[in-house]
Structures are given as structure tokens and as C-alpha cells.
Amino acid sequence: MFKNKIFILIVSILIAITLILTAAFVLWNFMEKNNESKDPAVKAQDAVASVKPTKAPSAEAVKANTAIIKDILTNLSGSQNFIKISFAFELENAKGKAEFDSLLDSAVKGTIVQALGDLTKDQIEGSKGSDSLTSTLMNKLNPLLHEGKIKQIWITDKVLQ
């Protein structure tokens, strides 16, 4: 009978420890999610910070890992305005660029048009508007890529009407 009580006590202690560790794990994950910023600029900086630093690439390497999208024409939100815009996307490696190129005509252009359709003329004007747009695009496009990430987005042409 004494051995039976010890067994029950040990099992009870193990169950209590398991419950405490599970609660701590759930609480830790909840606190981590609360620390995430909702600002697209901060999210983009975090994504860029996660890119592994390497030696400075040569101009040829940058050119080889850069995808160019020219002349996307779409309406802006809430008005009669439209935008014609071109981008250059620098990716961190050749595999990432190949994956980006394969998604270019479907997911990438669709994401760009969707992001532009959500903006008004006032939101896209000026350097702050351009920075906000590139941050938003980086946050939406990087999750689509598995082989590499976007390091930089440049707006190479912008006509706002």
C-alpha cells in the first residue's frame, strides 16, 4: 500500500511539472507575438536584418541578382488617379532570383497591383510614400520566396496622375 501511494505522488508531481512547463511555453509565445510591430517599415527592417551579412557584392553580382519589373499601370484607391511604376528587386542569391522570376508574372505582379490599389495618391507621393510602398511590398513578397529573400527594392520610374 505504501508503494502505491508513492507511485501516485510521483505521477501527480510529473503531471504538475508538465502543466507548469506547458503554461510557461504558451505564455512565452504569447509575449513574443505581442512584441511584434505592426509598422511595415519596422517589419521590413527586421526582414532585412535577418539576411545573412556577407562581403560586399560586386556590381556584376548585384546586376545578376536583380529582377526588373517595368511599367505596371493601375488605378489608385478612392479616386480617378492612376500610377505607372517600375521596380528593381535585388535578391540575396541566384536561387532566390530564379524563384522570384518564376513567380513574376503571377504572384509578384498581382501583389504589387493589390498593394497599389490599396493606396491613395496622398499616401504614395513623396519619399515617405515610396518608402512605405517598398516596405509593404517587401513584407508581402518575402514570405512567397523560399530560396532567398529580397534585400532591396528600388522604384526606378514613377508617374502619378
Side-chain angles (χ1 to χ4, degrees), residues 51-120:
V51 174
K52 301 171 201 95
T54 58
K55 64 178 182 176
S58 65
E60 293 83 20
V62 170
K63 185 176 180 181
N65 292 334
T66 300
I68 296 174
I69 299 177
K70 292 188 178 188
D71 300 335
I72 293 178
L73 180 65
T74 189
N75 292 332
L76 295 175
S77 176
S79 66
Q80 302 276 336
N81 296 322
F82 65 90
I83 188 167
K84 182 178 179 184
I85 193 164
S86 299
F87 295 98
F89 295 88
E90 182 186 349
L91 289 103
E92 64 181 350
N93 56 37
K95 287 182 181 179
K97 183 181 184 299
E99 183 181 20
F100 186 86
D101 288 341
S102 68
L103 295 171
L104 189 63
D105 288 330
S106 57
V108 174
K109 284 186 180 178
T111 302
I112 292 171
V113 169
Q114 181 183 21
L116 289 171
D118 290 340
L119 299 173
T120 63

